[in-house]
Amino acid sequence: EVDLASLVADVVALLSAEAQDHGVRLELAPQKALARVDPEAVRGSIINLVRNAIEASEPGETVEVRTAAGERESVVRVLDRGPGVDPEIRAHVFEAFVTGRTDGTGLGLALVRRVAEEHGGWIDLITRQSGGTLAVFGMPRAQE
């Protein structure tokens, strides 16, 4: 049983220097969110989502990282204000070797999806009309 708020706080601390190097600010809004997960696998997935958001953002932008607990699931939300997911690859973005970046391998989001599914969860990317992408990583909630 893992509190995703604590796990996300660790990831934000880990990636804060990388974000600063890109001129991006990380904003953390944690809410206690328990999930029964492998903490290292989920940590790796959250690192991937936050790193993608940092790389998609322009200097001076903020990446928001939030956790929340619903009745049945706990979620991590990562919001950037970058260009959003390229419509040409949108339908395939979770497949291996599909990437919208020239320096990407296309493995990150495929691994995130695999981890989510192995834990009975899900991942979704939502391109916002106001700009940016919202990544939502959900897992079944552990009961307190």
Side-chain angles (χ1 to χ4, degrees), residues 4-142:
L4 296 176
S6 176
L7 196 143
V8 165
D10 291 346
V11 169
V12 167
L14 176 72
L15 296 178
S16 63
E18 186 174 326
Q20 190 173 4
D21 288 347
H22 279 85
V24 174
R25 184 173 152 266
L26 295 178
E27 180 180 285
L28 177 61
Q31 175 189 356
K32 188 173 185 176
L34 299 178
R36 191 171 307 281
V37 297
D38 173 349
E40 292 308 312
V42 171
R43 177 181 281 111
S45 294
I46 296 168
I47 287 171
N48 191 308
L49 295 174
V50 173
R51 187 169 278 148
N52 284 352
I54 291 168
E55 292 174 359
S57 299
E58 293 293 324
E61 297 289 342
T62 299
V63 170
E64 298 174 26
V65 186
R66 303 178 182 277
T67 56
E71 284 187 33
R72 295 187 179 160
E73 61 191 8
S74 292
V75 296
V76 175
R77 293 182 177 94
V78 180
L79 172 64
D80 69 57
R81 288 165 182 80
V85 178
D86 182 342
E88 290 189 22
I89 65 167
R90 176 71 178 102
H92 305 284
V93 75
F94 293 110
E95 296 173 15
F97 308 113
V98 174
T99 183
R101 297 192 326 246
T102 57
D103 62 342
T105 63
L107 293 175
L109 290 176
L111 292 172
V112 170
R113 182 175 70 176
R114 189 183 89 209
V115 168
E117 289 174 352
E118 286 175 351
H119 288 85
W122 50 273
I123 177 72
D124 194 12
L125 296 180
I126 302 161
T127 299
R128 297 170 21 122
Q129 286 185 336
S130 59
T133 300
L134 173 62
V136 185
F137 185 58
M139 287 144 284
R141 180 176 176 202

